Amino acid sequence: MASDIVLLAAVSVLSACQQAYFASFVGKSRIKHKVIPPAVSGHPEFERTFRAQQNGIEFYTLFLVDLWTAGWFFNQELASLFGLLYIYGRHLYFYGYIQSVKSRLQGFSVTKMALILLLVMSVTGITNSLLDKYIHINLLNKIRHIVLG
Amino acid sequence: MASDIVLLAAVSVLSACQQAYFASFVGKSRIKHKVIPPAVSGHPEFERTFRAQQNGIEFYTLFLVDLWTAGWFFNQELASLFGLLYIYGRHLYFYGYIQSVKSRLQGFSVTKMALILLLVMSVTGITNSLLDKYIHINLLNKIRHIVLG
Amino acid sequence: MASDIVLLAAVSVLSACQQAYFASFVGKSRIKHKVIPPAVSGHPEFERTFRAQQNGIEFYTLFLVDLWTAGWFFNQELASLFGLLYIYGRHLYFYGYIQSVKSRLQGFSVTKMALILLLVMSVTGITNSLLDKYIHINLLNKIRHIVLG
């Protein structure tokens, strides 16, 4: 629907920078705690830092799928906003996890909420497009017509 | 070629939900087998569950690249069908691996076959587009003309 | 800007094949060093091979985000070239890491340089598009006009 993707691209590049920052943080934590590669264990704080980064990677592609389909099929501005919320949640999660295992939970809730909001937008937008494509009913356009008069 | 991407988007979101489900399953397996984060070992069933999810992540981005290039440059409907086959293979792999190391192999074969089919479509479609772009020969269109008369 | 994406798609599929090759290499290393799944440790060379592949996965999505935004918002040909540089760096990194922990560093520098070059193109292109969208100033087009007369 939205042909414009520049906000989605900006949020994606911002999140890519965040992932790169986390990766370099793990490298610094290796040096700090003398965990020599390829080992990924040996010091509790390093292990938490590493798991925090790994969890970010596990969800990163999934996040991008939700972000782009939500932005493309529903609304770019709203999807980008929830994308920023996700990045904020990842930030909380990462620094929380480094402090303690329990402190990661707040950030995790924020990322989960952001992903659910994006997913709802994705599923709504894609369902609407499928209905439009195969039985020529565009519910979202109808709702817009009613709301906007 | 195909400007329409809604089926590819639908398959991508479905596979993202599957990845999220696997991640939450690992979380439940942690609780069941008392494997406290950030540890990723401690009980054989948890370790198999974790590796099954990790393998899914390892291949997830690769799968999306193959799915979208196959769908964009060759045929959206066929690519989406093989995308569903991949998701089915991932399902078999995950639950197979939880049962035993050997039981993962059937699902692995299905995902491998789906990826190879998508890759063949990708390479064919991209090669055709490159020929079209640089030496103005569109082989796929010619074949379509001959087949469809 | 560039509606054409075939070079970006070709580089993406090539890098996906590289990831698949690394994954199968890890499988062969398992057999060679008798590391039975789901274990990911047990022999130094296997551990280096596994970490080399995992590092590739950690950066793979990030690389694709940078590649596509650089190619879409700045220049497809240049982005594809730097994409090939990244793939070459990954190749050096992987085989270097298998030899020794230290030998991975050269390849790592090449991938890092490729990512930074792509990132600079992304940020420049996206910033230009944002300025164009919201305050109707297209700096890149102006520069092109001046350079090309």
Side-chain angles (χ1 to χ4, degrees):
Chain A
M1 298 197 179
S3 65
D4 207 341
I5 56 165
V6 66
L7 293 176
L8 301 175
V11 171
S12 302
V13 170
L14 187 66
S15 66
C17 291
Q18 188 186 37
Q19 294 292 319
Y21 178 74
F22 289 165
S24 75
F25 200 100
V26 170
K28 279 172 200 158
S29 184
R30 273 193 184 283
I31 295 162
K32 185 179 167 193
H33 299 296
K34 299 184 179 61
V35 180
I36 295 153
V40 291
S41 58
H43 188 285
E45 193 185 286
F46 172 78
E47 287 168 25
R48 290 197 306 274
T49 309
F50 180 69
R51 273 308 318 147
Q53 181 229 5
Q54 291 291 309
N55 188 279
I57 292 159
E58 291 176 21
F59 280 91
Y60 188 46
T61 307
L62 197 158
F63 160 64
L64 289 174
V65 167
D66 283 1
L67 174 71
W68 282 81
T69 50
W72 191 270
F73 292 97
F74 196 88
N75 183 284
Q76 188 192 200
E77 281 77 12
L78 209 55
S80 303
L81 200 72
F82 294 151
L84 291 176
L85 182 68
Y86 179 84
I87 292 171
Y88 173 67
R90 268 293 140 204
H91 178 86
L92 289 182
Y93 179 90
F94 190 75
Y95 287 99
Y97 210 158
I98 293 171
Q99 294 305 314
S100 74
V101 173
K102 214 181 170 183
S103 310
R104 82 191 193 287
L105 295 175
Q106 197 201 344
F108 186 73
S109 300
V110 176
T111 60
K112 200 174 170 179
M113 196 175 66
L115 286 179
I116 289 171
L117 289 167
L118 287 171
L119 184 64
V120 169
M121 286 169 66
S122 284
V123 172
T124 309
I126 289 172
T127 306
N128 186 61
S129 286
L130 285 170
L131 291 176
D132 193 19
K133 184 181 161 91
Y134 292 107
I135 58 169
H136 307 292
I137 293 175
N138 193 317
L139 290 173
L140 285 180
N141 272 0
K142 283 196 181 167
I143 291 165
R144 269 184 210 122
H145 274 287
I146 293 164
V147 171
L148 303 172
Chain B
M1 300 196 176
S3 64
D4 208 340
I5 56 166
V6 66
L7 292 176
L8 301 176
V11 171
S12 302
V13 170
L14 188 66
S15 66
C17 290
Q18 188 186 37
Q19 294 293 320
Y21 179 74
F22 290 165
S24 75
F25 200 100
V26 170
K28 280 172 198 155
S29 183
R30 274 194 184 282
I31 294 161
K32 185 180 167 193
H33 299 297
K34 298 186 181 61
V35 180
I36 294 153
V40 291
S41 58
H43 188 285
E45 192 184 285
F46 172 79
E47 286 168 26
R48 290 198 306 276
T49 308
F50 180 69
R51 272 308 320 147
Q53 181 230 4
Q54 291 291 309
N55 188 279
I57 292 159
E58 290 176 21
F59 281 90
Y60 189 45
T61 306
L62 196 157
F63 160 64
L64 289 174
V65 168
D66 284 1
L67 174 71
W68 282 80
T69 51
W72 191 270
F73 292 97
F74 195 89
N75 182 285
Q76 188 191 202
E77 282 76 13
L78 209 57
S80 304
L81 201 72
F82 294 150
L84 291 176
L85 182 68
Y86 179 86
I87 292 171
Y88 172 68
R90 269 293 140 202
H91 177 86
L92 289 182
Y93 179 91
F94 189 75
Y95 287 101
Y97 210 157
I98 293 171
Q99 294 304 315
S100 74
V101 173
K102 213 181 170 182
S103 311
R104 83 192 192 288
L105 295 176
Q106 196 200 346
F108 186 73
S109 300
V110 176
T111 60
K112 201 174 169 178
M113 194 175 67
L115 286 179
I116 289 170
L117 289 167
L118 287 171
L119 184 63
V120 169
M121 287 170 65
S122 283
V123 171
T124 309
I126 288 172
T127 305
N128 185 62
S129 285
L130 285 171
L131 291 176
D132 194 18
K133 184 180 161 92
Y134 292 106
I135 58 171
H136 307 293
I137 292 175
N138 193 315
L139 290 173
L140 285 180
N141 271 0
K142 282 197 180 168
I143 292 165
R144 270 184 209 122
H145 274 287
I146 293 164
V147 171
L148 302 172
Chain C
M1 298 194 180
S3 65
D4 208 340
I5 55 166
V6 66
L7 293 176
L8 301 175
V11 171
S12 302
V13 170
L14 187 67
S15 67
C17 290
Q18 188 186 37
Q19 294 293 319
Y21 178 75
F22 289 165
S24 75
F25 200 101
V26 170
K28 278 170 199 156
S29 183
R30 275 193 182 284
I31 294 161
K32 185 181 167 192
H33 299 296
K34 298 185 179 63
V35 180
I36 295 153
V40 291
S41 58
H43 187 285
E45 191 184 288
F46 172 78
E47 287 167 26
R48 290 198 305 275
T49 310
F50 180 69
R51 271 311 315 150
Q53 180 229 6
Q54 292 290 309
N55 189 279
I57 293 159
E58 289 176 20
F59 280 90
Y60 189 45
T61 306
L62 198 158
F63 160 64
L64 289 174
V65 167
D66 283 0
L67 173 72
W68 282 79
T69 50
W72 191 270
F73 292 96
F74 195 89
N75 182 284
Q76 188 192 201
E77 282 76 12
L78 209 56
S80 303
L81 201 72
F82 294 150
L84 291 176
L85 182 68
Y86 179 85
I87 293 172
Y88 172 67
R90 269 293 140 205
H91 176 86
L92 289 183
Y93 180 90
F94 190 75
Y95 287 100
Y97 211 157
I98 293 171
Q99 294 305 315
S100 73
V101 173
K102 213 180 170 183
S103 311
R104 81 192 194 287
L105 295 176
Q106 197 200 346
F108 186 72
S109 299
V110 176
T111 61
K112 201 175 169 178
M113 195 176 66
L115 286 179
I116 289 170
L117 289 167
L118 288 171
L119 184 64
V120 169
M121 287 169 64
S122 283
V123 171
T124 309
I126 289 172
T127 306
N128 186 62
S129 285
L130 285 171
L131 291 176
D132 193 18
K133 185 181 160 92
Y134 292 107
I135 58 169
H136 308 292
I137 293 175
N138 193 317
L139 291 173
L140 286 180
N141 272 359
K142 281 195 181 168
I143 292 166
R144 269 182 210 123
H145 275 285
I146 293 165
V147 171
L148 302 172

